[in-house]
Amino acid sequence: MSNSSSLNEFLLLAFADTRELQLLHFSLFLGIYLAALLGNSLIITAVACDHHLHTPMYFFLLNLSFLDLGSISTTVPKSMANSLWDTRAISYSGCAAQVLGFAIFISAEYSLLTVMAYDRYIAICRPLHYGTLMDSRACVKMAAAAWTSGFLYALLHTGNTFSIPLCQGNTVEQFFCEIPQILKLSCSDVFLREVGLIVFSTCLLFGCFIFIVLSYVQIFTAVLRIPSEQGRHKAFSMCLPHLAVVSLFVSTSFFAYLKPPSISSPALDLVVAVLYTVMPPAVNPLIYSMRNREVKDALKKLVQCA
């Protein structure tokens, strides 16, 4: 029986056993990864260079793109390298770094999406106070709070997870190092400490989710009271991209961690993990650029100047 002190590496779940399917997986992930890099980099450059986008909403969008780049870069490159070189191994320190990095970016992104919901609420429901409540100092503080909360959350979970003795081998049933899968390798009478921490964190995340839902209930109530159709359309166009991003992020991540054990299987866990780790960073820039005229105009200017 092994323990965490004697582990030098973990074995990740392979997408395929045949060489052809391994190369197909590498090619698909490479395409998605490059799309995410290109899309988020364009959003970052457009917001940074176009003074028309120097507003709270786009400042938070800039931070969201950085978080998306970080989250997908934490998991996908290692998975592609393993498929390319026909291996499943990741070092113990590399696994810990992957858990820490992914937890930082995912938890900070959820906090930032909550902040963005508050920004949209103030813009639609309290427009006369928007300049006061969402000035540059307040925006920087809220973004810093999102990043800091993500770092502290990740540090707490990572330290706690890797301090638990691992007694069930070193095979992680996922294509990246994921805390629930690592806990399956722990001693049954010890891992309850981390499970309790996850339950507490889930309650906090659910609280953020309720805040987002209540914010949008009030937002849509206020929008429906706008007399002009043009005004309603403009208000909806401000909110729908964020709502779409929240829906994609929340639905996939909640299903990944809260689905009943009776329907859990390695294949299903793998598919769901791809949906909530790989797809949002690639799709988010597309959602914002398709539904937002100002972003599209900034991107056109950027392409013309290139």
Side-chain angles (χ1 to χ4, degrees):
M1 184 176 293
S2 62
N3 57 42
S4 56
S5 62
S6 63
L7 283 178
N8 294 320
E9 66 179 17
F10 291 92
L11 298 179
L12 300 176
L13 183 65
F15 274 84
D17 296 326
T18 64
R19 191 60 183 153
E20 292 77 10
L21 291 178
Q22 287 174 346
L23 294 177
L24 177 61
H25 159 244
F26 171 80
S27 301
L28 290 175
F29 264 36
L30 178 62
I32 295 173
Y33 185 56
L34 292 177
L37 288 180
L38 177 62
N40 286 287
S41 297
L42 285 174
I43 292 291
I44 291 170
T45 306
V47 174
C49 296
D50 194 325
H51 69 278
H52 292 102
L53 302 183
H54 292 176
T55 63
M57 181 174 70
Y58 297 111
F59 171 73
F60 294 133
L61 179 58
L62 177 78
N63 280 268
L64 180 66
S65 292
F66 275 117
L67 290 171
D68 282 337
L69 283 177
S71 65
I72 196 171
S73 297
T74 302
T75 58
V76 168
K78 179 58 179 175
S79 181
M80 290 192 300
N82 281 0
S83 289
L84 184 62
W85 301 113
D86 191 18
T87 181
R88 297 170 53 197
I90 183 173
S91 66
Y92 185 89
S93 59
C95 185
Q98 198 173 67
V99 168
L100 177 64
F102 184 72
I104 288 174
F105 294 119
I106 287 296
S107 54
E109 181 164 341
Y110 194 60
S111 298
L112 186 68
L113 290 174
T114 306
V115 170
M116 293 173 76
Y118 175 73
D119 170 69
R120 295 299 83 208
Y121 164 75
I122 297 297
I124 301 298
C125 300
R126 304 182 64 184
L128 297 180
H129 300 279
Y130 187 76
T132 303
L133 296 175
M134 300 300 296
D135 60 6
S136 58
R137 180 175 297 183
C139 291
V140 170
K141 286 182 178 179
M142 285 187 279
W147 282 89
T148 303
S149 65
F151 178 77
L152 294 177
Y153 173 89
L155 196 63
L156 179 64
H157 275 291
T158 305
N160 197 48
T161 298
F162 285 90
S163 67
I164 295 174
L166 305 179
C167 311
Q168 308 295 328
N170 67 336
T171 302
V172 178
E173 296 295 329
Q174 192 52 270
F175 76 94
F176 68 101
C177 286
E178 187 181 37
I179 289 179
Q181 299 299 331
I182 295 175
L183 290 179
K184 292 180 180 179
L185 308 178
S186 64
C187 302
S188 59
D189 58 341
V190 179
F191 84 103
L192 291 176
R193 179 178 60 184
E194 175 64 15
V195 172
L197 188 58
I198 289 178
V199 171
F200 174 73
S201 301
T202 301
C203 293
L204 293 179
L205 295 176
F206 189 71
C208 292
F209 175 71
I210 294 299
F211 177 85
I212 294 173
V213 170
L214 292 178
S215 297
Y216 270 98
V217 168
Q218 297 185 64
I219 286 171
F220 287 134
T221 301
V223 169
L224 293 176
R225 293 173 181 167
I226 298 176
S228 67
E229 183 178 350
Q230 183 178 1
R232 290 194 300 271
H233 181 269
K234 182 178 180 180
F236 276 125
S237 66
M238 293 171 60
C239 298
L240 287 180
H242 175 256
L243 187 59
V245 169
V246 170
S247 300
L248 177 64
F249 182 86
V250 170
S251 60
T252 54
S253 58
F254 273 32
F255 182 77
Y257 290 102
L258 301 180
K259 66 180 182 298
S262 58
I263 66 171
S264 182
S265 68
L268 179 61
D269 291 345
L270 186 64
V271 171
V272 173
V274 170
L275 289 177
Y276 88 90
T277 61
V278 179
M279 294 309 298
V283 173
N284 288 351
L286 186 62
I287 293 175
Y288 274 101
S289 61
M290 285 180 61
R291 294 293 306 177
N292 193 299
R293 183 180 299 276
E294 291 177 318
V295 172
K296 287 192 289 187
D297 291 341
L299 290 175
K300 287 180 182 177
K301 293 178 183 177
L302 193 63
V303 172
Q304 292 172 357
C305 294

